Amino acid sequence: MDAYKKEFIEFMIDCQVLQFGDFVTKSGRNTPFFVNTGFYRSGSQLQKLGEYYAKTIEQKFGLDFDILFGPAYKGIPLSVATTMAIAQMYGKDISYCSNRKEVKDHGDTGILLGSPVQDKDKVLLIEDVTTAGTSMQETLPILKAQADVVLLGLVVSVDRMERGQGKKSALAEIQETYGFETTAIVTMAEVVAHLHNKPYNGKVMIDDDLKHRIDAYYEKYGVL
């Protein structure tokens, strides 16, 4: 596993974004782990988060694209932080863009904020965690209605590696439905591999008991 992936896992713990215990997901699944990206709350945290995204994007997609698009609302700060990190780390000036939830009819008008989009723009999408594709269903028609852009892919922070609406993972379903590549900074398999029976800050985050619960969760909801 790359060093920056290990650092990112520990960074999530430090920010209380990655938590272990008893949780219920939006889909009603009882889960022993939870990723709450709402706990990235400070400027320094967003700066580091943008750097992890930038590293992943450079490795997976390269930097030959025009716009980083973050669906409202959580995708807005992600697109800003990551384009700033790309500029600082790689000297590449990428534009950011997001959609509004409603059309603005005065001042900076329209459904988009940030950079306008044009035909043939190469666009990369950025989100927080693996989704069931709901935001893609909502925002891609809006984006496509503005210009005939070229969608290159989607990057998220964590791949939960569980089934979406069918038998495949949510990321795999998105890739199959829309025909573009998907990737994550880390997968839950990498999280477990890095933390199982290995102390971090003097505490074992995933002991044998929690590992058993995680395994049981994936037996029920994991990708077949």
Side-chain angles (χ1 to χ4, degrees), residues 1-223:
M1 190 189 314
D2 290 339
Y4 82 94
K5 290 177 175 283
K6 297 178 181 179
E7 292 172 6
F8 179 65
I9 294 168
E10 295 168 2
F11 171 68
M12 286 194 292
I13 295 172
D14 291 341
C15 296
Q16 300 182 353
V17 168
L18 176 61
Q19 301 179 30
F20 300 98
D22 295 295
F23 308 94
V24 179
T25 66
K26 289 182 180 179
S27 59
R29 297 174 179 177
N30 294 308
T31 175
F33 59 88
F34 193 68
V35 180
N36 184 357
T37 58
F39 276 87
Y40 294 123
R41 293 174 174 172
S42 72
S44 62
Q45 289 173 346
L46 283 175
Q47 181 180 25
K48 286 186 67 66
L49 179 61
E51 291 170 358
Y52 290 119
Y53 269 110
K55 182 70 172 179
T56 302
I57 289 170
E58 192 276 333
Q59 285 194 352
K60 175 67 176 182
F61 297 103
L63 300 175
D64 183 21
F65 64 98
D66 305 296
I67 292 174
L68 187 62
F69 184 89
Y73 287 104
K74 287 186 178 179
I76 297 173
L78 296 180
S79 63
V80 174
T82 304
T83 51
M84 292 175 68
I86 290 173
Q88 183 178 38
M89 296 169 65
Y90 302 108
K92 177 75 172 182
D93 201 18
I94 303 291
S95 298
Y96 77 90
C97 180
S98 296
N99 64 296
R100 293 184 171 97
K101 289 292 187 178
E102 62 285 320
V103 177
K104 187 177 179 183
D105 59 6
H106 63 280
D108 181 18
T109 60
I111 194 66
L112 301 182
L113 57 86
S115 174
V117 294
Q118 301 178 355
D119 290 347
K120 299 183 180 180
D121 275 347
K122 298 176 183 177
V123 178
L124 185 65
L125 304 162
I126 185 170
E127 286 203 292
D128 52 355
V129 295
T130 311
T131 69
T134 304
S135 63
M136 294 293 101
Q137 295 171 10
E138 294 174 351
T139 59
L140 288 186
I142 294 173
L143 181 58
K144 282 287 193 177
Q146 309 307 307
D148 185 19
V149 300
V150 179
L151 296 173
L152 298 183
L154 167 68
V155 58
V156 301
S157 61
V158 180
D159 180 1
R160 288 181 60 96
M161 299 181 65
E162 58 190 83
R163 294 195 300 275
Q165 299 175 355
K167 294 183 178 181
K168 297 182 178 180
S169 72
L171 278 185
E173 287 178 351
I174 292 171
Q175 183 168 322
E176 185 176 88
T177 300
Y178 299 105
F180 51 68
E181 295 292 320
T182 59
T183 195
I185 302 175
V186 294
T187 67
M188 277 306 300
E190 291 171 325
V191 170
V192 172
H194 181 53
L195 296 178
H196 182 212
N197 282 339
K198 299 173 185 175
Y200 176 64
N201 284 342
K203 180 180 179 181
V204 174
M205 307 302 298
I206 301 179
D207 58 15
D208 288 336
D209 178 66
L210 181 56
K211 174 66 162 53
H212 177 73
R213 291 169 57 201
I214 292 173
D215 290 343
Y217 180 80
Y218 278 113
E219 286 180 8
K220 189 172 184 179
Y221 298 116
V223 180

